Amino acid sequence: MQGLMMDRQLTITSIMEHADNNHPNAEIVSVTCDSPRHRYTYADAFRRTRRLANALIGYGVRPGDRVATFAWNDYRHFELYYGIAGVGAVTHTVNPRLFPDQITYIVNHAEDRLVFVDPLIVPALEKIKDDLPCVEAYIILTDDDNMPDTGLKNAQSYESFIGSQPDRIDWPELDEKTACCLCYTSGTTGNPKGVLYHHRSMVLHTLIGISTDCFDLSVRDVVMPVVPMFHVNAWGLAYGAPVAGTKLVFPGPKMGDGATLQALIEEEQVTYSAGVPTVWLNLLKYLDETGKQVGTLRRVVIGGSACPRSIMEEFEERHGVYVNHAWGMTEMSPLGTFNTLKPEMQKLSREEQFAIREKQGRALYGVEMKIVDDENNELPWDGQSTGLLKVRGPFICSDYYNTGVPSDVHDGDGWFSTGDVGSIDAEGYLQITDRSKDVIKSGGEWISSIDLENTAVGHPDVAEAAVIGVPHPKWSERPLLIIVRKEGSEVTGEAILDWLRDKVAKWWLPDDVVFVDEIPHTATGKIQKTELRKRFSGSE
Amino acid sequence: MQGLMMDRQLTITSIMEHADNNHPNAEIVSVTCDSPRHRYTYADAFRRTRRLANALIGYGVRPGDRVATFAWNDYRHFELYYGIAGVGAVTHTVNPRLFPDQITYIVNHAEDRLVFVDPLIVPALEKIKDDLPCVEAYIILTDDDNMPDTGLKNAQSYESFIGSQPDRIDWPELDEKTACCLCYTSGTTGNPKGVLYHHRSMVLHTLIGISTDCFDLSVRDVVMPVVPMFHVNAWGLAYGAPVAGTKLVFPGPKMGDGATLQALIEEEQVTYSAGVPTVWLNLLKYLDETGKQVGTLRRVVIGGSACPRSIMEEFEERHGVYVNHAWGMTEMSPLGTFNTLKPEMQKLSREEQFAIREKQGRALYGVEMKIVDDENNELPWDGQSTGLLKVRGPFICSDYYNTGVPSDVHDGDGWFSTGDVGSIDAEGYLQITDRSKDVIKSGGEWISSIDLENTAVGHPDVAEAAVIGVPHPKWSERPLLIIVRKEGSEVTGEAILDWLRDKVAKWWLPDDVVFVDEIPHTATGKIQKTELRKRFSGSE
């Protein structure tokens, strides 16, 4: 028997209309290429979004069409998030930091008809424009006064594009499974693969993301997403803030600039932020150098890669900012787990608390997890058993966009193989110990390269560390530690191994240490272990 | 184009499994007829829920069957919420305070096959058992040792019913639109009408209910729902707490007992509660008389009927407990609006804040509201225009259960007429001024009976007040004020009208005051204006 409830669809349009009705005067503040501090309200934003939607329809954008954005976190990108999805088209956010070959591949694979691009990113696109035949026109995210001189096809300013359009529209009633956004995930090998979100998945992800034990967004908060809108939907904050009526502060192209972040926090009274570890290093360094404060900031969420404990401690001890660890993937919209302490854990010592807080956290409602062994047998949640992590849920992708072949990471039984290896404890806390392809198998046991790296970077002379497995006749593989020394340091490998000796299991101790000037990274900042393996172990 | 996301269904089963995996050790504490303080964990609860589900299947309960509960807020009722829905059947919660005729009508209309009943409610059912032919068996919510002597058909204790069942089950994969719960709403006229919720609506309502600007439930909270599980799903708290991992404290049959509530709050460290105004009057009276405290309690949500300002003030000034006003309806699952202040309102004076806080609040995401005039034209959100309130959303009912005729309060365009009359201001705050059938039309203008009543109860000699319209040759209707004096008071009508004179608009001043010993109420505690109109104005 079916229930008798209204069949209202979960759409991004409904988020926009909720904010427009209930939070018309909440502010959105942006740093952009053409304005050091642009300021307007949700009502203004959605009035312009309706003009944008009319412009898109007028241009001939049809439901299902892909429209690319190459943009920072700012108000025009925010309007694009809602305007493109609102007319039933697909917002294809592209990471401008990808390599030109990858961008070319992605735009052509997505068959983007229109490209919205920030003036600062125009030069990068000019270099590859002849390789992007599908793109019909480029809309530059500025006004006519600030238009760069460009050879991009049919270039037009954003302000002139939406300029003469009416600000009224009857939004189409969309089915909640209509595609709304597309984001490519670039592995370390092979071509990038597209994750095609739909309205329903985005709304559910948003509702869970703003809940008290996750982002905890309220109408009283001021949130500054430092995680980019060009990648994994800014962790959902650009949808969550309008649901809660939260003031939004967008740092634009200045996400990596500690001075800008500090000024925005203090002047706009930011209470809450989120981003990857690197951006926080920049901010903390700036605070350290200048003695400036971030007085209103109460909480920061760190994800994207494992958060070093030193960042947590510096935020908390020196600035009174609580840090929550989170974990997710592009394929998961992206939120998967979030780390908050349970009440009985409040009584633990600081050390015991950190042992929990450095884990990735508990699954959010809507995310089912399991860990399995090599034969796909489910392993217990005992904090010890380590296996491949699989996930399932209504905002996890079921396949990649238009690959022509079935996904090799989606099981017949509906689970997605994350490629991460880890354990889950009896209280539900996930600890990721490795990527499955990076795990080191030594004498039949697994050694966590991530654990070793995190321990090694604790050494005062180590700037960065990577661990890979190298072939070994007796143990099959043994760990090799690759180190970038801090400037001026001449620490020896022997000294580092000595230092590690009482910090890791005896059989985990690397057999050797090599020093390099630089460790190679992917465009999203991850260590490129394939390159290291090519160089140091002769394998891939 | 459809997105490529997993087709996982939003089910109550998924809430149970989430809590079982992630919050196995969170506690549920209950007062029951057979135990003054029962205590176990979510893991225990769901282990027993699986035994219950096996017992239901073993009995022959089929998907879609209605199973009634006559129960207080306690752990067995909690197990029923999950076990019945989990097997695809429908939990029909019945308000034991309804009149026997209404209960008879409801059980027969729902065609309940099984009835789960608290020992304290057994005597009430014995009186009408011969009129309930559809009921095959009664399961008494206790163990064999505490079984009452009863003539109810095939009576068995709950503990023996689930006793020998295995605690493993493969829960069926349910479509999210499968009916899960049924709750009848009893108007002041006509037969009660059933609202048939489905899994999807319950999950969405839950996610929105626990969000920061609504119930704000976290793993660190301890929540005591004083709003009954037998009516409108305890405002969703019995689903929301397991999603968040919140410790639950259930007062059982002692919801109206100030001493029990105070003891539970202090001893179980309750941080959060919710209920109708009346229960709080009992608690506040007890605190006043004994000087006892509710130290851990930080917030109380009050809804069900308008919260008198005196309750808000007493909670805040004497006990440091913040009060949020909320509004909803059985037809809305029930949450509709919730009152939190926006940041700019924090700067207002206390009086100005109360003027906002006494309103019903802003629409939650998922609830669309509009107010319309007599010709169904939409009225502006200006805080002045008053009209009939209509709502729409994914957890609002689309029709009533099995009435055989189309609902007369659901429009062709998909909106539900709440029957409430009110205004909405530019910031989205709803203020309900009347039920549409209680509104007084005088000289072409509307007078709010609720406003007049709320003002009149501010008089120190007034225990309760009701206002109805009586026919008037010139003005069409004029307000009549009906008063129950406080014990010992001999205040006159003239004195009350004098006192009201500078507190309400001149033309709102009632033409007359009558005194009664008692004002009639419905089973859910609302003033029965139909009765008053029959008696005092000769009309209905």
Side-chain angles (χ1 to χ4, degrees), chain A residues 55 139 142-144 147 155-165:
Chain A
I139 316 295
T142 187
D143 54 25
D144 282 351
M147 267 295 274
Q156 183 182 358
S157 81
Y158 180 85
E159 295 303 324
S160 75
F161 182 71
I162 71 167
S164 58
Q165 296 291 335

Side-chain angles (χ1 to χ4, degrees), chain B residues 117-243:
Chain B
V117 53
D118 190 274
L120 294 173
I121 307 167
V122 164
L125 287 193
E126 281 176 335
K127 287 185 194 144
I128 56 172
K129 66 180 166 40
D130 296 338
D131 299 324
L132 308 175
C134 57
V135 178
E136 299 165 14
Y138 292 81
I139 316 295
I140 318 296
L141 294 163
T142 187
D143 54 24
D144 282 352
D145 290 347
N146 289 287
M147 267 294 275
D149 187 25
T150 176
L152 289 177
K153 200 193 305 177
N154 298 319
Q156 181 183 359
S157 81
Y158 180 84
E159 295 304 324
S160 75
F161 182 71
I162 71 167
S164 58
Q165 296 291 335
D167 63 10
R168 290 187 60 88
I169 191 170
D170 282 326
W171 291 108
E173 296 266 348
L174 300 170
D175 181 276
E176 65 187 29
K177 292 188 178 165
T178 305
C180 61
C181 324
L182 177 63
C183 182
Y184 281 74
T185 173
S186 48
T188 45
T189 57
N191 280 320
K193 286 172 288 186
V195 178
L196 189 65
Y197 309 97
H198 55 45
H199 286 256
R200 170 187 161 100
S201 67
M202 240 0 135
V203 169
L204 292 174
H205 180 264
T206 298
L207 294 179
I208 288 152
I210 65 173
S211 65
T212 306
D213 278 326
C214 190
F215 288 144
D216 190 27
L217 282 195
S218 96
V219 72
R220 295 171 303 284
D221 278 304
V222 179
V223 66
M224 178 172 72
V226 185
V227 55
M229 292 173 73
F230 60 67
H231 191 59
V232 289
N233 317 302
W235 299 355
L237 289 167
Y239 301 115
V243 168

Side-chain angles (χ1 to χ4, degrees), chain B residues 233-421:
Chain B
N233 317 302
W235 299 355
L237 289 167
Y239 301 115
V243 168
T246 311
K247 173 178 169 181
L248 269 166
V249 178
F250 286 129
K254 299 286 194 175
M255 283 194 295
D257 179 43
T260 301
L261 297 183
Q262 187 276 334
L264 285 171
I265 292 168
E266 286 276 286
E267 292 163 23
E268 300 299 338
Q269 312 248 300
V270 171
T271 59
Y272 196 85
S273 191
V276 297
T278 320
V279 296
W280 304 121
L281 286 175
N282 294 338
L283 175 63
L284 290 169
K285 184 156 174 273
Y286 178 79
L287 297 179
D288 192 40
E289 286 167 2
T290 60
K292 290 196 176 164
Q293 295 298 318
V294 285
T296 55
L297 195 64
R298 64 179 173 92
R299 210 146 76 94
V300 155
V301 176
I302 300 187
S305 55
C307 177
R309 174 163 166 180
S310 56
I311 292 186
M312 290 195 188
E313 287 181 325
E314 192 167 341
F315 259 127
E316 289 174 27
E317 288 164 14
R318 301 188 51 185
H319 305 289
V321 176
Y322 194 84
V323 174
N324 291 100
H325 208 185
W327 169 84
M329 296 182 76
T330 306
E331 287 88 341
M332 299 174 76
S333 293
L335 298 170
T337 62
F338 198 92
N339 199 322
T340 59
L341 292 181
K342 294 186 179 182
E344 62 272 21
M345 297 168 180
Q346 306 289 350
K347 298 169 199 139
L348 297 177
S349 72
R350 194 171 157 76
E351 279 308 308
E352 290 167 318
Q353 287 188 355
F354 266 114
I356 299 166
R357 293 179 56 198
E358 288 179 281
K359 297 185 178 189
Q360 272 64 29
R362 298 188 311 275
L364 295 167
Y365 170 77
V367 176
E368 294 171 79
M369 306 192 299
K370 64 178 179 182
I371 46 172
V372 298
D373 66 16
D374 289 347
E375 281 78 44
N376 204 29
N377 298 309
E378 202 167 337
L379 297 169
W381 290 25
D382 57 12
Q384 302 297 322
S385 306
T386 298
L388 176 65
L389 177 67
K390 294 188 166 190
V391 294
R392 185 167 76 166
F395 43 90
I396 296 171
C397 81
S398 58
D399 201 348
Y400 294 107
Y401 176 62
N402 204 17
T403 58
V405 293
S407 159
D408 59 355
V409 286
H410 287 87
D411 295 351
D413 62 354
W415 291 80
F416 167 70
S417 290
T418 62
D420 280 322
V421 164

